[in-house]
Amino acid sequence: MTRASGTQGGSVTLSGDGLPAWLDPVVHVTETIAPKQLSRFLPPGDGSGRQSAVLILFGEDERGPQLLLMERATSLRSHAGQPSFPGGALDPEDGDPQGDGPLRAALREAEEETGLDPSGVQLFGVLPKLYIPVSGFVVTPVLGWWREPSPVGVVDPNETARVFTVPVADLTHPDNRVTAIHPSGFQGPAFLVESALVWGFTAGVIDRLLHFAGWERPWDRDKRVPLDWRA
């Protein structure tokens, strides 16, 4: 099992041992997906951009497979009020951005933002690095299995408005899928789940995971939800 934490320099590894069978398609995605299949926004070729990581954490309860998400505080300068994966910029103590630094950063940020106990998380895969042009972040999506669930919630209200889980069944249900339209011209997949509109980078990654894992169900892409300039 992966053991890592807010303990700086702790051991962090990837392991597919003992995962539930329903995660097999997701493991296959991490092993086969090409960067351009995941997003058209890829890191700049000159190496610029701020290195960061997010934790895509799959768990399971009586409702079935689920994902852990959080809603960012409305006071933040970047992506205020948006639902997102736990995550953030790499710190120097996280280590090599091209090595296990993103793994350690994803777990550290998840612990800081949600109170998650990283020792109960088994990291099993990493997706290609992506780019968020509006903030200049180069993001490594790190995938984990919540082998030993721990209590989670808002740690710092200045950073996080709420922490919640979403059943994968709700994410795949056609009634909960829409296309988000931003005044800037951005259009992208979005999800109406848990009294939240998940859109942007987070929704894009979820959408591609569902598609390439074979979990996507047909949905009406003409069903649109407008965003305002503050989004």
Side-chain angles (χ1 to χ4, degrees):
M1 181 181 301
T2 295
R3 293 289 175 185
S5 67
T7 61
Q8 298 174 2
S11 173
V12 193
T13 58
L14 294 177
S15 173
D17 295 342
L19 296 175
W22 59 262
L23 268 176
D24 288 349
V26 180
V27 174
H28 181 71
V29 172
T30 68
E31 296 171 343
T32 59
I33 196 168
K36 288 186 178 180
Q37 291 178 304
L38 194 55
S39 175
R40 62 189 177 93
F41 296 112
L42 302 180
D46 60 5
S48 63
R50 190 175 183 190
Q51 295 292 327
S52 64
V54 296
L55 179 63
I56 304 176
L57 184 60
F58 287 91
E60 187 173 16
D61 65 6
E62 65 278 0
R63 298 182 296 173
Q66 60 185 11
L67 271 178
L68 178 68
L69 296 177
M70 50 172 273
E71 194 170 294
R72 296 169 60 83
T74 56
S75 57
L76 293 175
R77 288 183 297 175
S78 180
H79 309 293
Q82 283 192 35
S84 68
F85 303 117
L90 269 67
D91 286 346
E93 59 267 25
D94 292 324
D96 183 4
Q98 306 307 320
D100 64 2
L103 307 185
R104 193 171 287 109
L107 288 170
R108 175 184 54 76
E109 286 283 344
E111 182 178 22
E112 292 176 359
E113 292 175 331
T114 74
L116 172 78
D117 181 357
S119 69
V121 175
Q122 177 178 341
L123 302 182
F124 64 84
V126 175
L127 295 176
K129 292 180 183 289
L130 303 176
Y131 187 59
I132 303 181
V134 68
S135 59
F137 280 107
V138 174
V139 185
T140 301
V142 178
L143 284 79
W145 160 237
W146 208 352
R147 180 183 288 279
E148 299 175 13
S150 55
V152 291
V154 174
V155 175
D156 182 354
N158 293 318
E159 289 193 4
T160 309
R162 68 175 173 137
V163 177
F164 58 101
T165 56
V166 181
V168 171
D170 287 355
L171 292 167
T172 60
H173 198 292
D175 289 351
N176 299 332
R177 304 216 54 182
V178 296
T179 298
I181 310 293
H182 194 277
S184 66
F186 166 85
Q187 297 187 26
F191 301 83
L192 291 164
V193 289
E194 301 296 324
S195 303
L197 174 65
V198 183
W199 67 283
F201 172 85
T202 302
V205 173
I206 293 174
D207 172 78
R208 294 295 80 195
L209 276 176
L210 297 180
H211 175 76
F212 286 105
W215 292 348
E216 184 179 38
R217 297 168 58 186
W219 59 282
D220 183 3
R221 287 169 169 75
D222 291 328
K223 183 180 174 183
R224 304 185 172 209
V225 172
L227 304 167
D228 63 31
W229 279 107
R230 294 169 294 177

